[in-house]
CSV table of all heavy atoms in Angstrom, one decimal:
chain,number,residue,atom,x,y,z
C,1,VAL,N,2.7,-4.7,-2.9
C,1,VAL,CA,2.4,-3.5,-3.7
C,1,VAL,C,3.6,-2.5,-3.6
C,1,VAL,O,4.1,-2.3,-2.6
C,1,VAL,CB,1.1,-2.8,-3.2
C,1,VAL,CG1,0.9,-1.5,-4.0
C,1,VAL,CG2,-0.1,-3.8,-3.4
C,2,GLN,N,3.9,-1.9,-4.8
C,2,GLN,CA,4.9,-0.9,-4.8
C,2,GLN,C,4.5,0.2,-5.7
C,2,GLN,O,3.9,0.0,-6.8
C,2,GLN,CB,6.3,-1.4,-5.3
C,2,GLN,CG,7.4,-0.3,-5.3
C,2,GLN,CD,8.7,-0.9,-5.7
C,2,GLN,OE1,8.8,-2.1,-6.1
C,2,GLN,NE2,9.8,-0.1,-5.5
C,3,ALA,N,4.6,1.5,-5.3
C,3,ALA,CA,4.2,2.7,-6.1
C,3,ALA,C,5.4,3.6,-6.3
C,3,ALA,O,5.4,4.7,-5.8
C,3,ALA,CB,3.0,3.4,-5.4
C,4,GLU,N,6.3,3.1,-7.0
C,4,GLU,CA,7.5,3.9,-7.4
C,4,GLU,C,8.1,4.7,-6.2
C,4,GLU,O,8.3,4.2,-5.1
C,4,GLU,CB,7.3,4.7,-8.6
C,4,GLU,CG,7.3,3.9,-9.9
C,4,GLU,CD,7.2,4.8,-11.2
C,4,GLU,OE1,6.7,5.9,-11.1
C,4,GLU,OE2,7.6,4.3,-12.2
C,5,ALA,N,8.2,6.0,-6.4
C,5,ALA,CA,8.8,6.9,-5.4
C,5,ALA,C,7.9,7.2,-4.3
C,5,ALA,O,8.3,7.8,-3.3
C,5,ALA,CB,9.3,8.2,-6.1
C,6,LEU,N,6.6,6.8,-4.4
C,6,LEU,CA,5.6,7.2,-3.3
C,6,LEU,C,5.5,6.2,-2.2
C,6,LEU,O,5.0,6.6,-1.1
C,6,LEU,CB,4.3,7.5,-4.0
C,6,LEU,CG,4.3,8.7,-5.0
C,6,LEU,CD1,2.9,8.9,-5.5
C,6,LEU,CD2,4.8,10.0,-4.3
C,7,ALA,N,5.8,4.9,-2.5
C,7,ALA,CA,5.6,3.9,-1.5
C,7,ALA,C,6.6,2.8,-1.7
C,7,ALA,O,6.8,2.4,-2.8
C,7,ALA,CB,4.2,3.3,-1.5
C,8,GLU,N,7.3,2.4,-0.6
C,8,GLU,CA,8.2,1.3,-0.7
C,8,GLU,C,7.4,0.0,-1.0
C,8,GLU,O,6.2,-0.1,-0.7
C,8,GLU,CB,8.9,1.1,0.7
C,8,GLU,CG,9.7,2.3,1.1
C,8,GLU,CD,10.3,2.2,2.5
C,8,GLU,OE1,10.3,1.0,3.0
C,8,GLU,OE2,10.7,3.2,3.1
C,9,ALA,N,8.2,-1.0,-1.5
C,9,ALA,CA,7.5,-2.3,-1.7
C,9,ALA,C,7.0,-2.8,-0.4
C,9,ALA,O,7.8,-3.0,0.5
C,9,ALA,CB,8.5,-3.2,-2.4
C,10,THR,N,5.8,-3.1,-0.3
C,10,THR,CA,5.1,-3.5,0.9
C,10,THR,C,4.5,-4.9,0.7
C,10,THR,O,3.7,-5.1,-0.2
C,10,THR,CB,4.1,-2.5,1.4
C,10,THR,OG1,4.6,-1.2,1.5
C,10,THR,CG2,3.5,-3.0,2.7
C,11,ARG,N,4.9,-5.9,1.5
C,11,ARG,CA,4.3,-7.2,1.4
C,11,ARG,C,3.6,-7.6,2.7
C,11,ARG,O,4.1,-7.4,3.8
C,11,ARG,CB,5.4,-8.2,1.1
C,11,ARG,CG,5.0,-9.6,0.9
C,11,ARG,CD,6.1,-10.6,0.7
C,11,ARG,NE,6.8,-10.3,-0.6
C,11,ARG,CZ,7.7,-11.1,-1.2
C,11,ARG,NH1,8.0,-12.2,-0.6
C,11,ARG,NH2,8.2,-10.7,-2.4
C,12,GLU,N,2.4,-8.1,2.5
C,12,GLU,CA,1.6,-8.6,3.7
C,12,GLU,C,0.9,-9.8,3.3
C,12,GLU,O,0.4,-10.0,2.2
C,12,GLU,CB,0.6,-7.5,4.1
C,12,GLU,CG,-0.1,-7.8,5.4
C,12,GLU,CD,-0.9,-6.6,6.0
C,12,GLU,OE1,-0.8,-5.5,5.5
C,12,GLU,OE2,-1.6,-6.9,7.0
C,13,SER,N,0.8,-10.8,4.3
C,13,SER,CA,0.2,-12.0,4.1
C,13,SER,C,-1.1,-12.2,4.9
C,13,SER,O,-1.2,-11.6,6.0
C,13,SER,CB,1.1,-13.2,4.5
C,13,SER,OG,2.3,-13.2,3.6
C,14,PHE,N,-2.1,-12.9,4.3
C,14,PHE,CA,-3.4,-13.1,5.0
C,14,PHE,C,-3.8,-14.5,4.9
C,14,PHE,O,-3.5,-15.2,3.9
C,14,PHE,CB,-4.5,-12.2,4.3
C,14,PHE,CG,-4.1,-10.8,4.1
C,14,PHE,CD1,-3.4,-10.3,3.0
C,14,PHE,CD2,-4.4,-9.9,5.1
C,14,PHE,CE1,-3.1,-9.0,2.8
C,14,PHE,CE2,-4.1,-8.5,4.9
C,14,PHE,CZ,-3.4,-8.1,3.8
C,15,VAL,N,-4.4,-15.0,5.9
C,15,VAL,CA,-5.0,-16.4,5.9
C,15,VAL,C,-6.5,-16.2,5.7
C,15,VAL,O,-7.2,-15.6,6.4
C,15,VAL,CB,-4.7,-17.1,7.2
C,15,VAL,CG1,-5.4,-18.5,7.2
C,15,VAL,CG2,-3.2,-17.3,7.4
C,16,LEU,N,-7.0,-16.8,4.5
C,16,LEU,CA,-8.4,-16.7,4.2
C,16,LEU,C,-9.1,-17.9,4.7
C,16,LEU,O,-8.9,-19.0,4.2
C,16,LEU,CB,-8.5,-16.6,2.6
C,16,LEU,CG,-7.6,-15.6,2.0
C,16,LEU,CD1,-7.9,-15.4,0.5
C,16,LEU,CD2,-7.6,-14.2,2.7
C,17,GLU,N,-10.0,-17.7,5.7
C,17,GLU,CA,-10.6,-18.8,6.3
C,17,GLU,C,-11.8,-19.4,5.6
C,17,GLU,O,-12.3,-20.5,5.9
C,17,GLU,CB,-11.0,-18.4,7.7
C,17,GLU,CG,-9.9,-18.0,8.6
C,17,GLU,CD,-10.3,-17.6,10.0
C,17,GLU,OE1,-11.5,-17.4,10.2
C,17,GLU,OE2,-9.4,-17.5,10.9
C,18,ARG,N,-12.3,-18.7,4.6
C,18,ARG,CA,-13.5,-19.1,3.9
C,18,ARG,C,-13.3,-19.1,2.4
C,18,ARG,O,-12.4,-18.5,1.8
C,18,ARG,CB,-14.7,-18.2,4.2
C,18,ARG,CG,-14.9,-17.9,5.7
C,18,ARG,CD,-16.0,-16.9,5.8
C,18,ARG,NE,-16.2,-16.6,7.2
C,18,ARG,CZ,-17.2,-15.7,7.7
C,18,ARG,NH1,-18.0,-15.1,6.8
C,18,ARG,NH2,-17.3,-15.5,9.0
C,19,VAL,N,-14.1,-19.9,1.7
C,19,VAL,CA,-14.1,-19.9,0.3
C,19,VAL,C,-15.0,-18.7,-0.1
C,19,VAL,O,-16.1,-18.5,0.5
C,19,VAL,CB,-14.7,-21.2,-0.3
C,19,VAL,CG1,-15.0,-21.1,-1.8
C,19,VAL,CG2,-13.8,-22.4,0.0
C,20,GLY,N,-14.6,-17.9,-1.1
C,20,GLY,CA,-15.4,-16.8,-1.5
C,20,GLY,C,-14.6,-15.6,-2.0
C,20,GLY,O,-13.4,-15.7,-2.2
C,21,GLU,N,-15.3,-14.5,-2.1
C,21,GLU,CA,-14.6,-13.2,-2.6
C,21,GLU,C,-14.0,-12.5,-1.5
C,21,GLU,O,-14.6,-12.3,-0.4
C,21,GLU,CB,-15.7,-12.3,-3.3
C,21,GLU,CG,-16.3,-13.0,-4.5
C,21,GLU,CD,-15.3,-13.2,-5.6
C,21,GLU,OE1,-14.4,-12.3,-5.8
C,21,GLU,OE2,-15.4,-14.2,-6.3
C,22,TYR,N,-12.7,-12.0,-1.7
C,22,TYR,CA,-12.0,-11.2,-0.7
C,22,TYR,C,-11.5,-9.9,-1.3
C,22,TYR,O,-11.2,-9.9,-2.5
C,22,TYR,CB,-10.8,-12.0,-0.1
C,22,TYR,CG,-11.2,-13.0,0.9
C,22,TYR,CD1,-11.7,-14.2,0.6
C,22,TYR,CD2,-11.0,-12.7,2.3
C,22,TYR,CE1,-12.0,-15.2,1.6
C,22,TYR,CE2,-11.4,-13.6,3.3
C,22,TYR,CZ,-11.9,-14.8,2.9
C,22,TYR,OH,-12.2,-15.7,3.9
C,23,ALA,N,-11.4,-8.9,-0.5
C,23,ALA,CA,-10.7,-7.7,-0.8
C,23,ALA,C,-9.5,-7.6,0.1
C,23,ALA,O,-9.7,-7.5,1.4
C,23,ALA,CB,-11.6,-6.5,-0.7
C,24,LEU,N,-8.3,-7.5,-0.4
C,24,LEU,CA,-7.1,-7.5,0.5
C,24,LEU,C,-6.3,-6.3,0.2
C,24,LEU,O,-5.9,-6.0,-0.9
C,24,LEU,CB,-6.2,-8.8,0.1
C,24,LEU,CG,-6.9,-10.1,0.2
C,24,LEU,CD1,-5.9,-11.3,-0.2
C,24,LEU,CD2,-7.5,-10.4,1.6
C,25,TYR,N,-6.0,-5.5,1.3
C,25,TYR,CA,-5.3,-4.2,1.2
C,25,TYR,C,-4.2,-4.2,2.2
C,25,TYR,O,-4.3,-4.0,3.4
C,25,TYR,CB,-6.3,-3.1,1.5
C,25,TYR,CG,-7.3,-2.8,0.4
C,25,TYR,CD1,-8.4,-3.7,0.2
C,25,TYR,CD2,-7.1,-1.7,-0.4
C,25,TYR,CE1,-9.3,-3.5,-0.9
C,25,TYR,CE2,-8.0,-1.5,-1.5
C,25,TYR,CZ,-9.1,-2.4,-1.7
C,25,TYR,OH,-10.0,-2.2,-2.7
C,26,PRO,N,-2.9,-4.4,1.7
C,26,PRO,CA,-1.8,-4.3,2.6
C,26,PRO,C,-1.6,-2.9,3.1
C,26,PRO,O,-2.0,-1.9,2.4
C,26,PRO,CB,-0.6,-4.8,1.7
C,26,PRO,CG,-1.0,-4.5,0.3
C,26,PRO,CD,-2.5,-4.7,0.3
C,27,ARG,N,-1.0,-2.8,4.3
C,27,ARG,CA,-0.7,-1.5,4.8
C,27,ARG,C,0.6,-0.9,4.2
C,27,ARG,O,1.7,-1.3,4.6
C,27,ARG,CB,-0.5,-1.6,6.3
C,27,ARG,CG,-1.8,-1.9,7.1
C,27,ARG,CD,-1.5,-2.3,8.5
C,27,ARG,NE,-2.8,-2.3,9.3
C,27,ARG,CZ,-3.6,-3.4,9.2
C,27,ARG,NH1,-3.3,-4.4,8.5
C,27,ARG,NH2,-4.7,-3.4,10.0
C,28,LEU,N,0.4,-0.1,3.2
C,28,LEU,CA,1.6,0.4,2.4
C,28,LEU,C,2.5,1.3,3.3
C,28,LEU,O,2.0,2.1,4.1
C,28,LEU,CB,1.1,1.2,1.2
C,28,LEU,CG,0.9,0.3,-0.1
C,28,LEU,CD1,-0.1,-0.8,0.1
C,28,LEU,CD2,0.5,1.2,-1.3
C,29,ARG,N,3.7,1.2,3.0
C,29,ARG,CA,4.7,2.1,3.7
C,29,ARG,C,5.0,3.3,2.8
C,29,ARG,O,5.9,3.3,2.0
C,29,ARG,CB,6.0,1.3,3.9
C,29,ARG,CG,5.9,0.2,5.0
C,29,ARG,CD,7.2,-0.3,5.4
C,29,ARG,NE,8.0,-1.0,4.4
C,29,ARG,CZ,7.9,-2.2,4.0
C,29,ARG,NH1,7.1,-3.0,4.7
C,29,ARG,NH2,8.6,-2.7,3.1
C,30,TYR,N,4.1,4.3,2.9
C,30,TYR,CA,4.2,5.5,2.1
C,30,TYR,C,5.3,6.3,2.5
C,30,TYR,O,5.7,6.4,3.7
C,30,TYR,CB,2.9,6.3,2.2
C,30,TYR,CG,1.7,5.7,1.4
C,30,TYR,CD1,0.7,5.1,2.1
C,30,TYR,CD2,1.7,5.7,0.0
C,30,TYR,CE1,-0.4,4.5,1.4
C,30,TYR,CE2,0.6,5.2,-0.6
C,30,TYR,CZ,-0.4,4.6,0.1
C,30,TYR,OH,-1.5,4.0,-0.6
C,31,ARG,N,5.9,7.1,1.5
C,31,ARG,CA,6.9,8.1,1.8
C,31,ARG,C,6.1,9.4,2.0
C,31,ARG,O,5.8,10.1,1.0
C,31,ARG,CB,7.9,8.2,0.7
C,31,ARG,CG,8.7,6.9,0.5
C,31,ARG,CD,9.8,7.1,-0.5
C,31,ARG,NE,10.8,6.0,-0.5
C,31,ARG,CZ,10.8,5.0,-1.3
C,31,ARG,NH1,9.8,4.9,-2.2
C,31,ARG,NH2,11.7,4.0,-1.2
C,32,PHE,N,5.8,9.7,3.2
C,32,PHE,CA,4.9,10.8,3.5
C,32,PHE,C,5.4,12.1,3.1
C,32,PHE,O,4.7,13.0,2.7
C,32,PHE,CB,4.5,10.8,5.0
C,32,PHE,CG,3.8,9.6,5.4
C,32,PHE,CD1,4.3,8.7,6.4
C,32,PHE,CD2,2.5,9.2,4.9
C,32,PHE,CE1,3.6,7.6,6.8
C,32,PHE,CE2,1.8,8.1,5.3
C,32,PHE,CZ,2.4,7.3,6.2
C,33,ASP,N,6.7,12.3,3.2
C,33,ASP,CA,7.3,13.6,2.7
C,33,ASP,C,7.1,13.8,1.2
C,33,ASP,O,6.8,14.9,0.8
C,33,ASP,CB,8.8,13.6,3.1
C,33,ASP,CG,9.6,12.4,2.5
C,33,ASP,OD1,9.0,11.4,2.2
C,33,ASP,OD2,10.8,12.6,2.4
C,34,ARG,N,7.2,12.7,0.4
C,34,ARG,CA,7.0,12.9,-1.0
C,34,ARG,C,5.5,13.2,-1.3
C,34,ARG,O,5.2,14.0,-2.1
C,34,ARG,CB,7.3,11.6,-1.7
C,34,ARG,CG,8.8,11.1,-1.5
C,34,ARG,CD,9.7,11.8,-2.5
C,34,ARG,NE,11.1,11.4,-2.4
C,34,ARG,CZ,11.6,10.4,-3.1
C,34,ARG,NH1,10.8,9.7,-3.9
C,34,ARG,NH2,12.9,10.0,-2.9
C,35,LEU,N,4.6,12.6,-0.6
C,35,LEU,CA,3.2,12.9,-0.8
C,35,LEU,C,2.9,14.3,-0.4
C,35,LEU,O,2.1,15.0,-1.1
C,35,LEU,CB,2.3,11.9,0.1
C,35,LEU,CG,2.4,10.4,-0.3
C,35,LEU,CD1,1.7,9.6,0.8
C,35,LEU,CD2,1.7,10.2,-1.6
C,36,ARG,N,3.5,14.8,0.7
C,36,ARG,CA,3.2,16.2,1.1
C,36,ARG,C,3.7,17.2,0.1
C,36,ARG,O,3.1,18.3,0.0
C,36,ARG,CB,3.9,16.4,2.5
C,36,ARG,CG,3.4,17.6,3.2
C,36,ARG,CD,4.0,17.7,4.6
C,36,ARG,NE,3.5,16.6,5.5
C,36,ARG,CZ,4.3,15.6,5.9
C,36,ARG,NH1,5.6,15.5,5.5
C,36,ARG,NH2,3.8,14.7,6.7
C,37,GLU,N,4.7,16.9,-0.6
C,37,GLU,CA,5.3,17.8,-1.6
C,37,GLU,C,4.8,17.6,-3.0
C,37,GLU,O,5.3,18.2,-3.9
C,37,GLU,CB,6.8,17.7,-1.6
C,37,GLU,CG,7.4,18.1,-0.2
C,37,GLU,CD,7.0,19.4,0.3
C,37,GLU,OE1,6.9,20.4,-0.5
C,37,GLU,OE2,6.7,19.6,1.5
C,38,THR,N,3.8,16.8,-3.2
C,38,THR,CA,3.2,16.5,-4.5
C,38,THR,C,2.2,17.7,-4.9
C,38,THR,O,1.0,17.6,-4.5
C,38,THR,CB,2.5,15.2,-4.6
C,38,THR,OG1,3.4,14.1,-4.2
C,38,THR,CG2,2.0,14.9,-6.0
C,39,VAL,N,2.7,18.7,-5.5
C,39,VAL,CA,1.9,19.9,-5.8
C,39,VAL,C,1.3,19.9,-7.2
C,39,VAL,O,0.5,20.7,-7.5
C,39,VAL,CB,2.7,21.2,-5.5
C,39,VAL,CG1,3.0,21.3,-4.0
C,39,VAL,CG2,3.9,21.3,-6.3
C,40,GLN,N,1.9,19.0,-8.1
C,40,GLN,CA,1.4,18.9,-9.4
C,40,GLN,C,0.9,17.5,-9.7
C,40,GLN,O,1.6,16.5,-9.3
C,40,GLN,CB,2.5,19.3,-10.4
C,40,GLN,CG,2.9,20.7,-10.4
C,40,GLN,CD,1.9,21.7,-10.8
C,40,GLN,OE1,1.0,21.3,-11.6
C,40,GLN,NE2,1.9,22.9,-10.4
C,41,PRO,N,-0.2,17.3,-10.3
C,41,PRO,CA,-0.6,15.9,-10.7
C,41,PRO,C,0.3,15.3,-11.7
C,41,PRO,O,1.0,16.0,-12.5
C,41,PRO,CB,-2.0,16.1,-11.3
C,41,PRO,CG,-2.0,17.5,-11.8
C,41,PRO,CD,-1.2,18.3,-10.8
C,42,GLY,N,0.5,14.0,-11.6
C,42,GLY,CA,1.3,13.3,-12.6
C,42,GLY,C,1.2,11.8,-12.5
C,42,GLY,O,0.4,11.3,-11.7
């Protein structure tokens, strides 16, 4: 997952032990300084 200027491209791998539905959420490497200074929506 990559979110332009707000998060670096983050790649994470998972081993799925079962057949079925999964929700997979990698630990994004956010640029916290950019998030803190986001004062206008966009």
